[in-house]
Amino acid sequence: MKRKGLFSLGNRIIFYIFNFFIFLTLYFAIVSPNLTLGDTPAGNRTTWISVVFLLFLLTISLAIFVNEKLRNVFRYIFIKRALFSSIVIFVLVILLQIIFVELTHPSIGFDAGAIHSALTDTKSRKLQAYYSLSTNNINLMLQQHYLAKFFSNSSWLLFDNINLFLVDLSAVFNTLIVAVLDRRKISNVLYIQSIWLALFPMILVPYSDTWVLPFVSLYLLSYCIVFHSKFNGILRVFLALIGGSALSASYFIKPSAIIPFIAIFLVEILYLFKKDDRRKKKYAFIILISSLFFIVSTGITYCYLQNANNSETYMKIDRSRSMPAIHFISMGMAGDGGYNKEDNLAMAARPSKKEKVEYSKRKINQRLARMGIFGYIKFLFHKQNKNSSDGSFAWLIEGHFMSAKVASKGLKAFVQSFVYPNGKHLADFRYIAQFWWIIWLFIIAFGWRYRTKFSQVLRLAIVGGFLYLLIFEGGRSRYMIQFLPVYIIVASLALNDVVEMIGEKMSWLKEE
């Protein structure tokens, strides 16, 4: 097969596999129990807020559609003055986030709680056993320890504010990526991120899911500037150095967060088969030098962080007890494909790595034999549903997530009622978040007119994230948070094409 044929075939494969996964995810999101009005399967009940939310959207949509004056006002504020309006909304959302954290900042359980407990207690046998098994969280624990020491403070409020800063920093980097690729779409990314941040209580959970976001966004920004911009060579080399460090940092915070980089690597190889790429030849030397600096920076940062990880003395642990990667594959084949207490206890009971690996292999074979090939395929569809359908990103789903109670009265009580376990409006939050997740997925799924090299990187990164969660521990959409910069960027870049396509269809309906 000729080079051009290989290039076309590779692009089609990426596009078709992506469409299969994204439309399947969109379907699962639409039928999610989060969209239940009244009594929900989770044991909560939506209130008048969900009804008012729907009526407001319906009224505004109809009014804009039938009233030309209102339509012109809407067009002037949100389209003609889009950049100004989107910046104002984005800043207002950040202020609301700050108020939100101040009114909540509860204690969090599961792994995030184990990291926070280690900031003030290193002698606990339970914590030492946890970090001996979960060595993947040592680097994040050390980062938070250094910050607690620097600020002389280890409160949840401090780390929620740091987490808020990191999430918003990721949003800034995402905005810069869109600005580099298409300056006209800056307002798109600001609008989309404003809605996302307004419905993202995970800023209250200073854990690897959110902590890794700015590093993922930063290495994507580095790639964009090196390969997709006309900036001078010095800036591109400098960003390559930063991008390499961000990639290694991503790996040590959450190893799976490097999947978008793997997508970059594969798409760049695919595009070597494309003929007559004159721009690539023109900048070949700068790209080569930048890539070398990226590799060197990645290697140096990796060695530094690995050494810091291995030589830490803050927490006394037994690294020989660390859980092997195959354990997470085995655990990902039971129940909903998520955390499995039985497997975890079995890992803790087996002192050597060899015994842990043998146990996990045995469990994998047993589970595959029990399900059979068709049963396993059915299980994967079920797991994809659990992995990706929840627009709240599994808020409160994790075991021992939060035990805080809603305040008795005032603004604090109202805000907490949307995100606390006993909150009156928890189901309303899930309903509204799910509604937005469906719109977000709809933009990505129907954005097929957006066809560029970078779009293929983003689509392959999304596919890679789905495949990773199908193979390893998943079972809830919290694990998708690490990939959200990819979803935000592709939705922002494809939005105009989707709106144009909808406009064409509506014009056709009017003609009929």
Side-chain angles (χ1 to χ4, degrees), residues 332-337 371 375-384:
M333 297 173 67
D336 290 332
M371 288 187 283
Y376 184 58
I377 292 172
K378 181 181 178 181
F379 167 77
L380 290 178
F381 275 92
H382 171 75
K383 189 177 179 183
Q384 176 66 15

Side-chain angles (χ1 to χ4, degrees), residues 20 63 102 107 121 160 229 237 249 254 286 358 375 398 476 503:
F20 169 77
E102 184 64 33
S107 299
D121 182 6
D160 285 352
S229 76
V237 169
K254 204 166 190 73
I286 295 174
E358 287 176 352
E398 206 77 40
R476 51 220 182 274

Side-chain angles (χ1 to χ4, degrees), residues 226 231-234 236-237 282-291:
V226 172
F231 289 109
N232 64 58
I234 295 175
R236 290 161 82 169
V237 169
K282 181 179 178 181
Y283 294 105
F285 179 73
I286 295 174
I287 289 174
L288 177 61
I289 295 298
S290 299
S291 299

Side-chain angles (χ1 to χ4, degrees), residues 106-244:
S107 299
I108 303 296
F110 71 102
D111 299 81
I115 290 174
H116 193 266
S117 295
L119 302 180
T120 53
D121 182 6
T122 61
K123 304 299 181 183
S124 166
R125 292 288 182 88
K126 187 176 180 181
L127 283 175
Q128 290 176 356
Y130 169 83
Y131 284 103
S132 295
L133 292 167
S134 305
T135 53
N136 58 304
N137 278 330
I138 289 175
N139 192 271
L140 180 58
M141 180 267 288
L142 291 175
Q143 289 179 31
Q144 295 198 10
H145 162 63
Y146 295 142
L147 286 167
K149 191 175 178 180
F150 178 81
F151 288 104
S152 299
N153 188 343
S154 61
S155 68
W156 281 103
L157 178 59
L158 171 67
F159 282 94
D160 285 352
N161 278 314
I162 293 173
N163 200 41
L164 184 155
F165 171 77
L166 291 173
V167 171
D168 290 353
L169 183 61
S170 173
V172 171
F173 290 150
N174 296 338
T175 304
L176 291 175
I177 291 169
V178 173
V180 169
L181 295 170
D182 192 341
R183 197 174 298 177
R184 298 167 300 176
K185 296 177 180 178
I186 294 175
S187 58
N188 290 0
V189 69
L190 289 174
Y191 283 139
I192 288 172
Q193 288 185 138
S194 295
I195 301 173
W196 163 55
L197 294 175
L199 297 171
F200 191 65
M202 282 292 183
I203 55 174
L204 299 178
V205 186
Y207 186 51
S208 57
D209 304 304
T210 50
W211 210 270
V212 79
L213 288 177
F215 298 98
V216 174
S217 298
L218 185 54
Y219 77 66
L220 287 173
L221 175 61
S222 169
Y223 167 69
C224 282
I225 289 178
V226 172
F227 281 83
H228 298 275
S229 76
K230 296 180 181 179
F231 289 109
N232 64 58
I234 295 175
L235 179 62
R236 290 161 82 169
V237 169
F238 175 70
L239 260 294
L241 284 169
I242 293 178

Side-chain angles (χ1 to χ4, degrees), residues 14 18 259 262-263 266-267 455-465:
I14 292 172
F18 167 79
I259 286 174
I262 297 172
L266 294 175
V267 170
S455 74
Q456 292 298 75
V457 168
L458 298 174
R459 290 185 176 110
L460 187 57
I462 290 173
V463 170

Side-chain angles (χ1 to χ4, degrees), residues 347-381:
M347 289 296 104
R350 286 160 174 77
S352 71
K353 183 176 180 180
K354 183 180 179 181
E355 288 177 295
K356 288 179 171 65
V357 171
E358 287 176 352
Y359 173 85
S360 296
K361 285 181 179 178
R362 188 165 64 252
K363 279 295 182 180
I364 288 172
N365 291 332
Q366 290 174 359
R367 286 161 183 167
L368 281 175
R370 186 176 66 251
M371 288 187 283
I373 184 167
F374 293 109
Y376 184 58
I377 292 172
K378 181 181 178 181
F379 167 77
L380 290 178
F381 275 92

